[in-house]
Amino acid sequence: MDKKLSKIRESLPTHFIERLNRISLIAEPALARTTNILTDFTEHTLEHSYGVEKMYDLLFKNDFSSLTENERFILIAATILHDIGMVGSTEWKGREYQLRDSHHSRSKQVI
């Protein structure tokens, strides 16, 4: 990953960072497909997930000691994948709000 890492991600051991990078590589092409169907919604690309992840730096004020390494890893992995259920296809044309309303269940199925 060539982007500047969030502080929460930097706080993890290398093996967790590498696993998160692999998750990102797998999720990125699918998340990129959210923009072709859900044109009236916030983009749900990997960039969006990174933006959410960086918010943790602010929320925790760069002190992540209240979370174990495992909890930090799971939090970031969940952040990367939280909108994977927003991936649509042309079958969702005209039903975008239904996709949006069910994306949490669809995310669970994909993950």
Side-chain angles (χ1 to χ4, degrees):
M1 179 159 88
D2 57 347
K3 308 209 177 308
K4 180 161 175 23
L5 298 179
S6 64
K7 296 292 183 193
I8 192 169
R9 193 179 291 223
E10 285 180 346
S11 75
L12 291 171
T14 304
H15 70 280
F16 277 141
I17 293 172
E18 289 171 354
R19 285 175 66 188
L20 291 167
N21 291 343
R22 285 195 305 273
I23 292 169
S24 295
L25 285 173
I26 293 167
E28 185 171 29
L31 290 171
R33 291 187 20 234
T34 62
T35 59
N36 63 344
I37 300 298
L38 304 168
T39 56
D40 293 337
F41 293 90
T42 302
E43 287 193 8
H44 293 89
T45 62
L46 190 58
E47 292 301 316
H48 166 68
S49 295
Y50 289 154
V52 173
E53 178 182 327
K54 288 184 179 185
M55 293 302 295
Y56 300 137
D57 297 350
L58 298 172
L59 291 170
F60 286 94
K61 298 179 182 173
N62 293 328
D63 177 9
F64 311 108
S65 59
S66 62
L67 300 174
T68 66
E69 289 176 350
N70 286 335
E71 290 169 333
R72 283 180 261 157
F73 169 78
I74 291 168
L75 178 62
I76 296 170
T79 300
I80 294 167
L81 298 171
H82 80 278
D83 279 327
I84 201 76
M86 293 292 285
V87 175
S89 64
T90 54
E91 71 190 53
W92 289 98
K93 276 288 192 199
R95 299 182 358 202
E96 293 88 352
Y97 285 91
Q98 184 181 355
L99 176 62
R100 173 76 170 96
D101 290 344
S102 66
H103 87 280
H104 62 285
S105 297
R106 291 172 38 89
S107 293
K108 178 182 172 182
Q109 291 171 347
V110 171
I111 293 168

